[in-house]
Amino acid sequence: MSDFDAIIVGSGCAGAIAAYELAQAGKSVLVVERGNYAGAKNMTGGRLYTHALKQVFPNFEDEAPLERRITHERISMMTPDSNFTIDFSSDDMLVSGQDSYSVLRGSLDGWLADKAEAAGADYIFGIPVEELVKDGNRVVGIKAGEDEMTADVVILCDGANSLLTKEAVGFERPRGSAMAVGVKQVIELPASVIEDRLLANEGEGAAWLFVGDATKGHVGGGFVYTNKESVSLGIVATISDLASADTPIYQMLEDMKAHPAIAPLIKGGKVVEHSGHMVPEGGRDMMPPLVGDGVILAGESAMMCVNLGYMVRGMDYAIAAGMHAGRSAVAALDAGDTSAAGLGGYVKALEESFVLKDLEQFKRFPHFMESTTRIFNEYPAFVRNAMNTLFIVDGTPVAPLKKSMMPHVKNIGIINLLKDVWKGMKAL
């Protein structure tokens, strides 16, 4: 007889949602979270696409701790002495189920944990789980501290740097080119200042991504998300590429904050949080097996994250995976079969949902980013030079546009430009 129907390791988006689904179905659930509270170890900063959460909590907008509704999409190509930004807004971004919000994970994860507890899940905080209990190849529980607890199914949601996935399903640590390291600061500013500086209405904000000088030309980028009374600002860079960087990532962050495109936004702000985190960026090809005998993997433990340069997603995948993990675990428990085959409904549900369809669609993109380094150095410089040609007026006669632009194109090479465009289109 097991101590619990299900034990969940980690109370991020995936873990808390899985616990909620199991508890709602009347199952005995224990969640073990290594942080002192839900969200203590999560530094995602932080955009939530609402469609997945709406499937679990249809009226979440009425009570969830949301920051600002994202009404501006900004993408910048940055060099040390320039910044080219596209600012896009659309009424379609306001449609329920198509909208998104900035969030602070300390607050959001706490709210999700409260929902799971209210549904009947038990929680233990402040204890890391470093080992699984196994019966042969079957996972039958966990060891937390000096305690051993058993369950019919264990759901691993303990993050990108999981200590348990190798033991659970034989997943080897990913290569450095498939993982990134992120550093983030939360900078406190008055709400009215944020709105004035972003040209946004009250309660609205921006998701702003940077490529180029933010990472000193290395693979990765910068981000800014506007919260109610703060901005989340950070850098994410591929670990393998950072090894050859002359500038450490913490200095990249400080240099980005001092860049003329960023400094006016955060002027007068106070840093109230500084954190770091590993981020999976290898896509579908780096994912581990999602089930084993007695075990399910969800969220970042299953490497469910995608960075497309113009868009970063992970939370909506984790929420959907948590929902399907919880519901599939309930079905397996009811059927009395929590073997890998009995838990296979989880994999099938993900295959039929946007989660694995998206990750399959974009599985070639990480290699495209890794192999097309011109995106991070030559193209931002090309855009700067082209914009200077268009907008600088110094009294010299203006040459035909075709003639004035051609030297900038030749610096990259027309063939290289066409090849990169074609590769990018194939990867997407």
Side-chain angles (χ1 to χ4, degrees), residues 372-409:
T372 315
T373 56
R374 280 184 287 268
I375 295 172
F376 307 99
N377 42 67
E378 293 176 54
Y379 287 130
F382 164 74
V383 171
R384 175 200 60 198
N385 296 337
M387 293 301 104
N388 280 338
T389 298
L390 284 176
F391 296 119
I392 298 297
V393 177
D394 61 3
T396 58
V398 176
L401 193 60
K402 180 179 178 181
K403 182 177 180 180
S404 61
M405 287 294 181
M406 193 51 65
H408 307 319
V409 175

Side-chain angles (χ1 to χ4, degrees), residues 103-184:
V103 294
L104 294 168
R105 289 294 298 274
S107 300
L108 180 67
D109 288 9
W111 179 77
L112 291 172
D114 288 345
K115 285 290 190 182
E117 283 193 288
D122 294 319
Y123 264 77
I124 297 176
F125 293 104
I127 298 178
V129 178
E130 298 178 349
E131 191 175 348
L132 298 173
V133 179
K134 300 185 75 174
D135 181 4
N137 291 324
R138 181 182 180 84
V139 176
V140 296
I142 63 165
K143 291 181 181 178
E146 297 182 358
D147 296 323
E148 187 175 291
M149 291 164 281
T150 59
D152 293 323
V153 61
V154 174
I155 302 178
L156 300 183
C157 307
D158 55 331
N161 195 27
S162 173
L163 302 173
L164 304 172
T165 51
K166 182 176 181 179
E167 191 180 359
V169 293
F171 182 58
E172 296 293 339
R173 186 171 292 274
R175 64 189 188 281
S177 61
M179 298 294 291
V181 61
V183 293
K184 184 198 77 172

